[in-house]
Amino acid sequence: MSVFIIRRLMQAILVVWIMSLLVYVGVHIVGDPVDMLINPEADQAEIARVIRDLGLDRPLHEQYWYFLKNALQGDLGNSFIFNEPALKLVVQRIPATFELALAALGLAVVIGIPLGVYAGLKPDSKISQTIMASSILGFSLPTFWVGLMLIMFFSVMMGWLPSFGRGDTETIFGVEFSFLTWDGLTHLFLPALNLSLFKLSLVIRLARAGTREVVHQEYIKFARAKGLSQNRIIFVHLMKNIMIPVVTVLGLEFGGLIAFSVVTETVFSWPGMGKLIIDALHNLDRPLVVAYLMVIVVLFVFINLVVDVLYSILDPRVRLRDLKG
Amino acid sequence: MKFKKMLQATAIAAVASFAMGTAFAADLTVGLGSEPSSIDPHYHNLTPNNAMSANIFNRLIEQDDKQNLLPGLATEWKAIDDLTWEFKLREGVKFHDGSPFTADDVIFTWDRAPNVPNSPSSFATFTKGKTMTKVDDYTIRITTDKPYPLMPQDVSNVAIISKKAAENATTADFNSGKAAVGTGPFKFVKWTPGDVIELVKNEDYWGNVPEWDKVTVKPIKSGPGRVAALLAGDVDFIENVPPTDIERLTDNGDVQLSQGISNRVIYLHMDQFREDSPFVTAKDGSKIKNPLMDARVRKALSMAISRDLIVERVMEGVAVPAGQLLPEGFFGVSPNMAPEKYDPAGAKKLLAEAGYPDGFKITLHGPNDRYINDAKIAEAIAQMLSAAGIQATPETMPKSVYFKRASRGAEGGLPEFSFVLVGWGSGTGEASSPLRSLLHTYNKEKGFGSSNRGRFSDAEFDKLVEDALTTVDNAKREEMLIKATERGIGEMQGIIPLHYQVNTWAARKGIAYTPRTDERTQLEYIHSSK
């Protein structure tokens, strides 16, 4: 198992390095941030000074080499715009995005599994058909549009929930969380729902498919023949067995949730990483873009690792080892 | 019947108490489209930062909503001779921490402003070439090597900070609030980037104490998001209302709009420095000598554009046709330069005179996320030019790509395009700013023509602008600026002005904004209205 983990980490380092190279070259091709940053009234000397100060007058390979040298010492450079360490800016925003993504994941599981199991147990009922039809909508409607509609209905027309932002937060261990205050919760609900819609539909479909399959298995029939209550059959024998694909997929998709939060965070002005990266991209703030993507890559690799480990715990038949040894 | 009356009475009482409740609650929540990159007033010379710093800090001279100069921390100023300016400082002013404001703070500010490390756009622009000396605790002098008439304008851009609070302070110290001690109408409380900026009123403000006890500023980048937040009652006030929402908000009885013309002109640059311009060809695609070098062709282009139509259709009425670089009422604006009349027949005639009876082919480049409706304007212009026989194709791109290419995308740092759509806001609030940057011959050493993306060059025009910039006498200078405008745009058609942008702010009923021509949202200018 340790060989497996070490190998995974080596792969991660390789991915991070390739990614940094791609981003560096990519953003360089798009342009430079000087014209976004500078006051239009600045004269030629001032423009030249800014280009020099940001190191943009050097050839690209030199800039990249300089970046790599510092990166190996843990310094990803300062944001062009904020003049603060890019990594620090990204890490500061992680809690907000994580909170949002976890809330979305929670909603997807809490709402999705019961609905999916129900639809699997009674596939012909009207309610089941409605559930499955709505899940198609959840897949196909664009997130930003649904977000605006949610704001329109819940905030503007009904006035029940706030339309943007994070609300009051409570600090634990020096990190601010909004789910601990009522105001924060009301702010969290709409963006979390918006972000969860896609995953919710996915969970419903997985749970339904799993249920349809498991419900005809011998061991369910046996449990029924033994005279076990319906509840015990569903919650113990059925649930356990449909959870494996659900956990795998959700684990893999959690990274996607974090990456997808870009859209939701922009629509709801949620002060997380997604909003930061959108602004950074608009302004071609290269250090910030690189730092963000590095954090995301590391997260993805880490989540996949956790999923693999979890999987082996849930399903004793699975052993962690590399195919080629 | 009785019951119905009672119900009415309760309803009225409820409404009345609600109205009173809002009238007494003097807390304000504001949704801004762009967030400052720092609270340090000398870190980044750009509109969002300058607008925010104006809430917390004062300048020696302030600019009012029309960019007229007003006494700020200086009560009076004058040029004692051509090279020396004297400023009398306001006495009895206290910083937010209670310490008194004196000449030492001004001297300290003047030293720090140009020297903030890693500034992405430095305030050195305003301080360079100027030496400040203290005469006594409430008098300072600034000397220059050459006569410099724009001294008050430059001084009106530098925020005065407290020597006591900000000595050795870094930009991060301002962001944390430690050094963010000013004399302005609001005191800084906290900034959580991307989330909130909190301010409270300065009870001891030397000017008019603001009516808001506490102001919460929320960055809401998306336009529809800002409008939704206002309609939902989550914010009381927003800036940059998207033009598509203006009509709907006008019809909404709960919302009050404030609109005002800005100092930003939208205009076209034309390549006038390359015989072989990359995006101009004959109609069959073969190379031709750059027709834009001929003033008659430039004039014809201007005549072929209907500014009224652009304003009415593309801008939905929210813009003003432009004939020069600043709207009426600004210093240095010519009284003789009305917007060009739409005259496609005249344009065709001029083109024929210049030797292009069949027109030519040209690409109009523009940004698509910088100015109000910028991409649509480019498309409209291309169509109008086609009606006059010039086959024009619009090509728009994000500003992050566009501006670098438009300014220095070709080899040798030269502009890449032939025909570009851009905008210019005059930070000085008078005509010399656009004249020197957009139309003066490109000159690296002197710092002139830095945004002259068509490289228009005319000796007579250059002389007028340069003379104006060293003439301290206001009347004489204004006359020169007017002459320069009439020469550069009227006679030579160095650039083609299109329209002045109009900005829109929106608030819940009972709150209004005094629109600023510099497009800034300054909290002091938000007030309750009846």
Side-chain angles (χ1 to χ4, degrees):
Chain A
M1 180 143 159
S2 53
V3 174
F4 172 83
I5 291 176
I6 289 168
R7 187 169 279 241
R8 271 301 181 82
L9 289 178
M10 305 258 292
Q11 285 169 351
I13 291 168
L14 190 72
V15 171
V16 166
W17 174 68
I18 293 174
M19 199 272 324
S20 79
L21 192 65
L22 285 178
V23 172
Y24 232 80
V25 175
V27 176
H28 179 81
I29 290 171
V30 172
D32 66 45
V34 176
D35 298 278
M36 306 293 103
L37 292 175
I38 202 148
N39 191 298
E41 311 224 11
D43 59 18
Q44 292 90 332
E46 168 70 1
I47 296 172
R49 180 197 67 80
V50 172
I51 293 178
R52 204 173 51 242
D53 277 11
L54 297 180
L56 296 168
D57 54 342
R58 307 283 174 76
L60 184 62
H61 60 87
E62 210 173 293
Q63 291 182 44
Y64 184 70
W65 177 240
Y66 183 74
F67 160 79
L68 212 58
K69 258 196 327 204
N70 287 328
L72 288 176
Q73 292 158 15
D75 174 12
L76 295 183
N78 275 13
S79 152
F80 288 158
I81 296 172
F82 298 102
N83 192 26
E84 288 194 47
L87 192 60
K88 181 186 141 202
L89 289 170
V90 174
V91 170
Q92 266 176 355
R93 304 283 188 107
I94 286 181
T97 298
F98 255 67
E99 186 176 24
L100 182 63
L102 282 173
L105 195 68
L107 279 179
V109 170
V110 170
I111 304 174
I113 290 182
L115 288 182
V117 169
Y118 181 87
L121 289 175
K122 298 187 176 152
D124 298 323
S125 81
K126 276 269 175 310
I127 300 179
S128 299
Q129 282 168 5
T130 317
I131 292 172
M132 295 323 288
S134 330
S135 81
I136 292 176
L137 280 184
F139 269 122
S140 47
L141 293 178
T143 314
F144 75 91
W145 183 82
V146 175
L148 286 175
M149 287 304 118
L150 288 175
I151 294 176
M152 229 24 226
F153 184 76
F154 286 102
S155 309
V156 176
M157 283 162 69
M158 293 300 160
W160 292 339
L161 292 166
S163 63
F164 77 97
R166 207 177 168 195
D168 297 340
T169 52
E170 190 82 34
T171 310
I172 351 176
F173 307 125
V175 182
E176 293 193 339
F177 290 101
S178 34
F179 72 95
L180 294 168
T181 65
W182 176 246
D183 183 60
L185 267 183
T186 59
H187 279 84
L188 181 59
F189 182 71
L190 278 189
L193 182 67
N194 183 223
L195 187 60
S196 76
L197 277 185
F198 191 85
K199 304 298 168 226
L200 177 62
S201 311
L202 193 68
V203 172
I204 291 178
R205 305 220 134 222
L206 282 173
R208 178 181 179 272
T211 308
R212 298 283 295 142
E213 195 188 315
V214 169
V215 102
H216 298 296
Q217 297 287 330
E218 298 289 330
Y219 55 84
I220 298 283
K221 284 183 189 156
F222 180 68
R224 207 166 271 152
K226 243 172 52 173
L228 292 182
S229 73
Q230 178 79 354
N231 280 348
R232 186 162 168 85
I233 294 174
I234 292 176
F235 287 105
V236 178
H237 297 277
L238 188 133
M239 281 293 209
K240 242 188 189 167
N241 286 293
I242 65 167
M243 282 316 273
I244 292 172
V246 171
V247 167
T248 320
V249 173
L250 280 186
L252 293 175
E253 295 275 335
F254 185 66
L257 264 182
I258 289 173
F260 247 97
S261 68
V262 170
V263 177
T264 300
E265 285 182 10
T266 309
V267 172
F268 288 90
S269 295
W270 186 263
M273 288 192 289
K275 202 162 158 263
L276 186 72
I277 188 66
I278 282 285
D279 295 350
L281 280 171
H282 274 297
N283 293 312
L284 299 176
D285 193 343
R286 196 163 58 199
L288 206 48
V289 177
V290 174
Y292 169 82
L293 289 175
M294 285 189 148
V295 168
I296 291 289
V297 168
V298 171
L299 268 179
F300 259 80
V301 172
F302 178 73
I303 290 168
N304 285 0
L305 196 66
V306 171
V307 169
D308 284 334
V309 174
L310 265 185
Y311 203 75
S312 78
I313 294 170
L314 271 178
D315 188 343
R317 287 169 300 180
V318 176
R319 290 278 170 273
L320 294 181
R321 62 172 187 273
D322 281 301
L323 289 177
K324 286 177 189 162
Chain B
M1 189 68 203
K2 216 175 185 179
F3 177 71
K4 208 173 166 189
K5 263 206 176 131
M6 207 173 80
L7 208 66
Q8 267 175 357
T10 11
I12 290 168
V15 169
S17 65
F18 176 69
M20 268 159 62
T22 50
F24 284 131
D27 288 355
L28 188 73
T29 307
V30 173
L32 294 188
S34 40
E35 192 182 13
S37 59
S38 172
I39 300 298
D40 183 343
H42 304 144
Y43 169 65
H44 196 173
N45 176 23
L46 209 62
T47 301
N49 288 51
N50 291 337
M52 183 49 67
S53 89
N55 300 321
I56 306 166
F57 304 91
N58 287 121
R59 281 82 173 143
L60 287 183
I61 302 171
E62 301 284 355
Q63 294 187 2
D64 73 359
D65 53 316
K66 302 267 183 295
Q67 288 178 278
N68 297 315
L69 300 179
L70 288 180
L73 288 177
T75 48
E76 51 188 295
W77 58 93
K78 60 172 187 288
I80 329 179
D81 56 56
D82 267 4
L83 302 176
T84 313
W85 288 76
E86 188 173 273
F87 295 78
K88 289 268 177 232
L89 303 184
R90 195 177 290 276
E91 298 187 27
V93 174
K94 285 200 159 47
F95 280 102
H96 296 159
D97 64 358
S99 58
F101 157 76
T102 66
D104 292 330
D105 298 303
V106 183
I107 304 274
F108 171 72
T109 296
W110 208 252
D111 284 340
R112 181 182 188 269
N115 296 317
V116 176
N118 293 327
S119 161
S121 180
S122 167
F123 281 80
T125 311
F126 304 115
T127 60
K128 73 176 167 206
K130 308 182 183 79
T131 316
M132 184 183 276
T133 46
K134 173 177 166 180
V135 179
D136 59 48
D137 265 357
Y138 292 98
T139 316
I140 56 138
R141 277 186 191 166
I142 303 179
T143 51
T144 51
D145 297 337
K146 277 185 295 187
Y148 190 73
L150 292 180
M151 183 66 76
Q153 277 82 3
D154 278 7
V155 166
S156 76
N157 278 295
V158 182
I160 304 296
I161 56 173
S162 153
K163 182 178 180 184
K164 184 174 158 233
E167 199 141 42
N168 300 320
T170 61
T171 297
D173 291 330
F174 279 89
N175 295 344
S176 72
K178 206 178 106 197
V181 177
T183 55
F186 292 93
K187 295 182 185 180
F188 175 78
V189 179
K190 76 160 187 177
W191 179 36
T192 310
D195 189 16
V196 67
I197 298 174
E198 282 176 20
L199 303 162
V200 291
K201 95 167 145 192
N202 174 12
E203 299 275 3
D204 304 319
Y205 187 46
W206 58 266
N208 293 326
V209 177
E211 37 179 313
W212 315 109
D213 295 327
K214 182 180 166 208
V215 182
T216 310
V217 177
K218 294 277 191 176
I220 311 177
K221 197 152 182 125
S222 101
R226 277 197 300 284
V227 173
L230 177 68
L231 291 176
D234 293 333
V235 299
D236 304 308
F237 181 87
I238 58 171
E239 66 174 3
N240 291 349
V241 178
T244 43
D245 286 322
I246 289 175
E247 201 182 319
R248 203 161 56 93
L249 291 180
T250 313
D251 298 339
N252 187 329
D254 300 329
V255 173
Q256 194 162 333
L257 296 179
S258 308
Q259 283 185 325
I261 195 167
S262 76
N263 63 14
R264 187 175 301 281
V265 63
I266 305 296
Y267 65 93
L268 304 169
H269 270 307
M270 292 156 288
D271 180 349
Q272 293 158 57
F273 69 105
R274 280 177 288 212
E275 289 272 323
D276 173 20
S277 196
F279 292 95
V280 190
T281 62
K283 275 195 171 160
D284 58 8
S286 61
K287 279 198 174 181
I288 49 168
K289 179 175 174 276
N290 179 5
L292 300 171
M293 313 266 274
D294 190 325
R296 286 171 298 184
V297 175
R298 302 198 292 267
K299 186 91 182 158
L301 288 177
S302 178
M303 287 161 76
I305 297 169
S306 167
R307 290 160 179 79
D308 292 336
L309 213 56
I310 293 180
V311 167
E312 195 186 309
R313 293 293 165 79
V314 181
M315 305 300 289
E316 310 192 34
V318 192
V320 175
Q324 46 191 317
L325 297 166
L326 274 174
E328 231 175 280
F330 281 93
F331 184 87
V333 165
S334 162
N336 312 318
M337 302 261 302
E340 186 89 56
K341 285 235 166 52
Y342 178 50
D343 181 6
K348 270 187 179 162
K349 220 174 109 195
L350 261 182
L351 279 177
E353 252 176 58
Y356 300 94
D358 300 326
F360 47 87
K361 216 165 152 177
I362 194 165
T363 309
L364 171 61
H365 287 91
N368 57 21
D369 57 355
R370 174 62 188 89
Y371 311 109
I372 304 175
N373 289 337
D374 38 15
K376 287 190 207 161
I377 300 169
E379 284 163 24
I381 290 173
Q383 282 185 19
M384 292 174 188
L385 292 181
S386 299
I390 297 163
Q391 198 183 329
T393 323
E395 197 178 318
T396 58
M397 55 195 89
K399 61 181 182 204
S400 49
V401 180
Y402 173 74
F403 280 99
K404 184 183 180 187
R405 292 178 67 185
S407 305
R408 43 180 208 290
E411 222 163 292
L414 290 171
E416 182 181 341
F417 304 132
S418 298
F419 192 31
V420 296
L421 177 108
V422 218
W424 185 268
S426 171
T428 56
E430 45 79 78
S432 80
S433 144
L435 289 174
R436 69 176 278 177
S437 297
L438 308 182
L439 283 159
H440 191 287
T441 306
Y442 184 85
N443 186 325
K444 221 171 176 170
E445 285 67 46
K446 289 186 186 163
F448 288 140
S450 57
S451 293
N452 187 346
R453 298 183 178 98
R455 297 288 193 267
F456 167 76
S457 177
D458 178 57
E460 190 184 329
F461 173 87
D462 289 355
K463 185 163 183 334
L464 282 166
V465 173
E466 279 174 45
D467 286 351
L469 286 173
T470 48
T471 304
V472 177
D473 184 302
N474 278 339
K476 276 190 199 152
R477 188 169 78 255
E478 178 155 33
E479 199 183 319
M480 290 174 189
L481 292 175
I482 291 173
K483 269 195 191 149
T485 304
E486 290 172 358
R487 170 76 188 162
I489 296 176
E491 290 170 39
M492 303 300 293
Q493 200 76 57
I495 60 176
I496 301 176
L498 297 172
H499 59 259
Y500 308 113
Q501 263 182 209
V502 168
N503 291 312
T504 309
W505 290 264
R508 68 172 162 79
K509 204 173 165 54
I511 296 178
Y513 188 66
T514 311
R516 289 186 62 90
T517 53
D518 58 11
E519 308 187 319
R520 288 183 191 170
T521 301
Q522 266 175 236
L523 303 176
E524 249 186 298
Y525 289 79
I526 306 175
H527 51 84
S528 56
S529 64
K530 282 292 153 292

